[in-house]
Amino acid sequence: MNSMSLPASLLRCAVAAALAALPAVAQDLLAVKASRIVPVSGPVVDDGVVLIQNGRITKVGKQSEVEIPWAAKVIDATGKTVMPTWVVAHSQGGVRNFNENMQNVPWLTVADAIDPAAVYFEDCLRNGVGAVHVMPGNQTLLAGQGMVVRPFGRTVEDMTIAANTGMKMSLASGGGGGRLQQIRRLRRAIADVREYLADFDRRKGEFEKEQAAGAIPADKKWTEEIDRTKKGAVDLVQKKQKGWLYVPSFAEMDEALRLAQDLDLQIVLGSNIDEAVGLVKKLGKPVVLDDAIEYFETDEETQKEKRFCTAKLLADAGVPFALTLGLGGPTSYPWWQLGACVRNGIARDKAIEALTMVPAQLLGLGDQIGSLGEGKLGNLQILTGDPLQATTWVETVVLEGQVVYERSKDPRLQYLFEAEKAKASKAAGPENKDTEKKETDKKDGDKKDGAEPAKTEPAKAEGSKQDAPKSGGDGREVR
């Protein structure tokens, strides 16, 4: 092992162990009091409280109208905002090798590749994400099953919210040969499944006919089962499960529409779709957007760049959409994605719904997550301010009534801040050390004299969002 990578590996293990060591059982009764509660599914509640019992919300209302049981643990979020945790409808985060060497592998599942100790899941909690739909990568044909997980738990089983959520499919040309070759391969893969199923049904039908004619004993049963490696694909063509089809650009939308006529598909759009908005509208259902919702194209005549926002194009066309988060860079932050939507003219409430209620409904979990309401899971985040502000931080995350993240106890942030503090102290030189020593001596003297030492406000630590870049007027990164 490279000796330089050892501290990082030890830190990763230590952080994972520390996060997993947080309270292991949900509070039987939890009350979260806040200056502002954003249920998403209803109007904002000022000076409100959320009551959670046995992992589910029992009441959301004004503090003056809700009686908090004496036995409840109370989290005082005065001056802060409470809202549901974010829901990511499509991601490859937290997966080892999310693109397989073989393209056609419908028997696989991401459950075998998810790493509960992945830094991605730590960052999910820091960003207020409470549910992630983990899927195989986009360089595939039929890539296997996805699953919805919470970003907290020691094992995949602990993290699971919903398993076998659908078959990942893709029109992205990952096997070479370009777009048309990819379309041909995907058609052939689906045709092979249909031929296999037709042959299976034919043999079963012949068995039943022979049995009815007396050629086969009446007590003998048909024992052959669908091939395990083809079962997922068979369910797909029989519309027993949903397919999650990645469409990288407008050029593949015609094929996506053709496939949607025969299969139960959820479309995941790439960024370059400005010329296919009309086709997307023909689907008649919500779509999931890739994390890159802004892109530029150069006019061939004027050679000027024009910026497009996928979310804005769809909003203007009346197509509901779900936002997703990237695996790195600015698009990995919810506030960046929401801000990009609002900056391009999308209503604030619609932008927030695109990262809460809409993805929850697409995943079939709209009655469980995505908003704060009675009977739903007690998944919420406590923010220091407005969710669209880059200066707002996630202070606490509660999943099913269990406090799973507290910024003040985040071991990775503590490690980073201590390292920065040490660098700053070293850069200040010996004069600063002499000043610190004098202040320490003075405090010690005050203590000996019985005087209370003067309190000084600690310097505000720099943000944990990995110095997320701000956006200029043209949507580019500004440092």
Side-chain angles (χ1 to χ4, degrees), residues 6 26-27 51 60 66 74 94 108 120 153 171 185 187 202 243 261 311 363 381 416 457 467:
L6 183 59
Q27 295 288 335
L51 289 183
V60 179
V66 177
V74 178
L108 295 182
Y120 170 79
L171 289 172
R185 280 193 292 258
R187 287 183 179 182
R202 178 187 58 78
Q261 294 175 358
L363 295 169
Q381 55 179 316
L416 294 174
E457 291 292 330
D467 296 331

Side-chain angles (χ1 to χ4, degrees), residues 366-384:
D367 60 340
Q368 302 291 316
I369 57 178
S371 62
L372 302 180
E374 294 182 15
K376 293 196 172 185
L377 294 177
N379 292 3
L380 58 82
Q381 55 179 316
I382 300 175
L383 305 171
T384 58

Side-chain angles (χ1 to χ4, degrees), residues 204-222:
K204 185 177 180 180
E206 290 177 353
F207 173 87
E208 292 173 348
K209 286 181 180 179
E210 291 180 6
Q211 191 175 53
I216 297 177
D219 59 346
K220 187 174 183 179
K221 296 182 179 180
W222 174 261

